[in-house]
Amino acid sequence: MQVNLRIRRFNPEKDQKAWWGEYTLSDALPTDTVLDLLHRVKWEMDGTLALRRSCAHGVCGSDAVRINGANALACKTLVQRLSGGNGSATIQVEPILGLRVIKDLIVDMEPFMEHYRSVLPYFINDSPPPADGRERLQSAEDRARFDDTTKCILCACCTTSCPSFWANEKYVGPAAIVQAHRFIYDSRDEGAAERLAVVGDTFGVWRCRTNFNCTSACPRDIEVTKAIAEVKKVLATGEI
Ligand code: SF4
Ligand code: SF4
Ligand code: FES
């Protein structure tokens, strides 16, 4: 099938502003992914195209881009899902929004990672280990409370589709709140108060307007907005 690919290009060393590169692939397969097509452009047509990717299987989270106006992982998006049904497809690929473009599809993830680090995304427990020196046990029910938020791969699809983040990049953003949720709801963790101080601050959860862009964008199907609501509830009631 024919795919007309439009890719947002920008090379800060020579471009004054971003422009659209147009590439036609006449022998694409419906089962190709958008990442396959980007590889073909880079390897067969224009080696200067810059993109970020690693696993190619939806695990590393490094190839989040905006495809036909919606955030997604290029490696998890099949061409057949974007086809107009007439044996061809027009696919537009841009960098995710709200982060500085370094080159072409590569954005500066550092502000995103700074928000991630701000919620202390690691296990905190200074209590002595159990008497037998082994695991800190947890019931299946307690483990289930934060199961959904363990699935995050830090792709940034959620935060960079969030109007509140676009409006103010100081907003900690849905991905960081998902990470905070993962530890706040872990019965073995003792760092909830520190994390709640961060996500309850001026640029924390109350910036969320509950419009579900983040949930729609998440390639791991995490109920992001629900997790944010659960963190808001802890802040409002003091109960986990
Ligand atoms: S639900 Fe909240 S965090 Fe998610 S996109 Fe909307 S405003 Fe942003
Ligand atoms: S919550 Fe989903 S969309 Fe957001 S960073 Fe994690 S995996 Fe990506
Ligand atoms: S390349 Fe790793 S998630 Fe797509």
Side-chain angles (χ1 to χ4, degrees), residues 145-163:
R145 297 185 79 200
F146 62 97
D147 188 60
D148 200 33
T149 45
T150 63
K151 297 176 193 155
C152 177
I153 54 172
L154 292 173
C155 66
C157 279
C158 55
T159 297
T160 60
S161 65
C162 171

Side-chain angles (χ1 to χ4, degrees), residues 119-120 124 180 183-186 189-199 234-235 240:
V119 301
L120 314 176
I124 297 173
F183 291 101
I184 289 168
Y185 274 84
D186 187 334
D189 185 271
E190 295 178 345
E194 288 168 79
R195 295 190 188 92
L196 288 167
V198 176
V199 295
V234 176
L235 282 163
I240 298 175

